[in-house]
Amino acid sequence: MGFLDAVLGRKKLAAAKADNLFALSTAQVTLDVELGLRPAGAAAVCFKPLSAGDFVRVENDLSELLDVAAQTSGSRVRRRTDEFGFEWIIVEDPDFEDLVTTVHLVGSELVARGFGEQLLASIFRFEGGEHPVYFIYGYKRGAFWPFVPTGEKQERDNAEELELKAKLEKELPIEPDLSRWLALFDAPI
């Protein structure tokens, strides 16, 4: 960031950190055996698209790449734009390893093409508790946080989220700043 950027209040966006995403694969055993949470076979990557022509080209390349990845892994991939203009790439696959790999592929491809700053989060759904449990991966911080919506007026079960943090923080890079544990109530998975 240069002097003029500092004076004008502009700041550079943090680069995406996608490598910690694979930690969820190793934590799956603990999630299943100790916590009774099973992957629901659905995940999504959320990013903010740019209107630049390069981004349109990258999105077209990404669509082709996702088609190939879906064919080789057996994943089902679709896209959706939410009411705020964010793009969601939704991946469905009963094989959790393939699911994590395909989500990582999406993020890596955007980073490789110079659009890593546009990556916001990936979200993975788990079932087996009273409510669905989501693990959100924030690309800017390279860490996960649990999200447990109760289904009532966009409320969440903070006690269960903190319990999950305590039980998984040795296996997963958990976001230490609780104020950054953003909720994604309307995630399309």
Side-chain angles (χ1 to χ4, degrees), residues 88-167:
W88 292 84
I89 297 177
I90 301 138
V91 181
E92 296 171 339
D93 195 314
D95 184 306
F96 190 67
E97 296 290 327
D98 287 347
L99 187 69
V100 173
T101 301
T102 304
V103 167
H104 184 268
L105 177 66
V106 171
S108 296
E109 188 62 23
L110 285 170
V111 169
R113 307 266 181 180
F115 294 97
E117 294 175 351
Q118 300 308 113
L119 278 171
L120 300 175
S122 287
I123 183 169
F124 295 83
R125 182 182 173 126
F126 289 82
E127 297 173 341
E130 183 179 343
H131 304 288
V133 173
Y134 297 90
F135 280 91
I136 301 171
Y137 182 76
Y139 284 98
K140 305 298 183 219
R141 306 274 291 183
F144 288 92
W145 62 89
F147 170 54
V148 184
T150 62
E152 303 169 10
K153 300 181 186 179
Q154 294 197 346
E155 292 179 8
R156 59 199 290 184
D157 188 340
N158 295 112
E160 185 174 350
E161 291 173 359
L162 291 172
E163 184 178 332
L164 289 167
K165 172 192 180 291
K167 291 180 178 179

Side-chain angles (χ1 to χ4, degrees), residues 13-182:
L13 294 173
K17 300 172 189 166
D19 292 338
N20 289 339
L21 194 63
F22 285 114
L24 192 58
S25 293
T26 58
Q28 180 195 3
V29 173
T30 301
L31 287 164
D32 186 14
V33 175
E34 292 182 24
L35 303 173
L37 297 174
R38 295 169 311 284
V45 178
C46 180
F47 63 97
K48 182 70 176 167
L50 294 173
S51 58
D54 281 344
F55 197 72
V56 172
R57 180 187 48 76
V58 169
E59 283 190 278
N60 291 336
D61 291 348
L62 183 61
S63 292
E64 291 175 16
L65 182 65
L66 290 174
D67 289 342
V68 170
Q71 288 175 357
T72 59
S73 69
S75 299
R76 181 174 167 240
V77 180
R78 57 191 167 92
R79 293 178 64 168
R80 185 176 145 220
T81 303
D82 68 18
E83 63 185 275
F84 302 107
F86 290 95
E87 285 289 321
W88 292 84
I89 297 177
I90 301 138
V91 181
E92 296 171 339
D93 195 314
D95 184 306
F96 190 67
E97 296 290 327
D98 287 347
L99 187 69
V100 173
T101 301
T102 304
V103 167
H104 184 268
L105 177 66
V106 171
S108 296
E109 188 62 23
L110 285 170
V111 169
R113 307 266 181 180
F115 294 97
E117 294 175 351
Q118 300 308 113
L119 278 171
L120 300 175
S122 287
I123 183 169
F124 295 83
R125 182 182 173 126
F126 289 82
E127 297 173 341
E130 183 179 343
H131 304 288
V133 173
Y134 297 90
F135 280 91
I136 301 171
Y137 182 76
Y139 284 98
K140 305 298 183 219
R141 306 274 291 183
F144 288 92
W145 62 89
F147 170 54
V148 184
T150 62
E152 303 169 10
K153 300 181 186 179
Q154 294 197 346
E155 292 179 8
R156 59 199 290 184
D157 188 340
N158 295 112
E160 185 174 350
E161 291 173 359
L162 291 172
E163 184 178 332
L164 289 167
K165 172 192 180 291
K167 291 180 178 179
L168 293 167
E169 62 190 347
K170 292 182 181 174
E171 293 189 50
L172 277 178
I174 300 287
E175 172 58 55
D177 184 354
L178 300 182
S179 69
R180 294 184 180 266
W181 286 21
L182 304 176

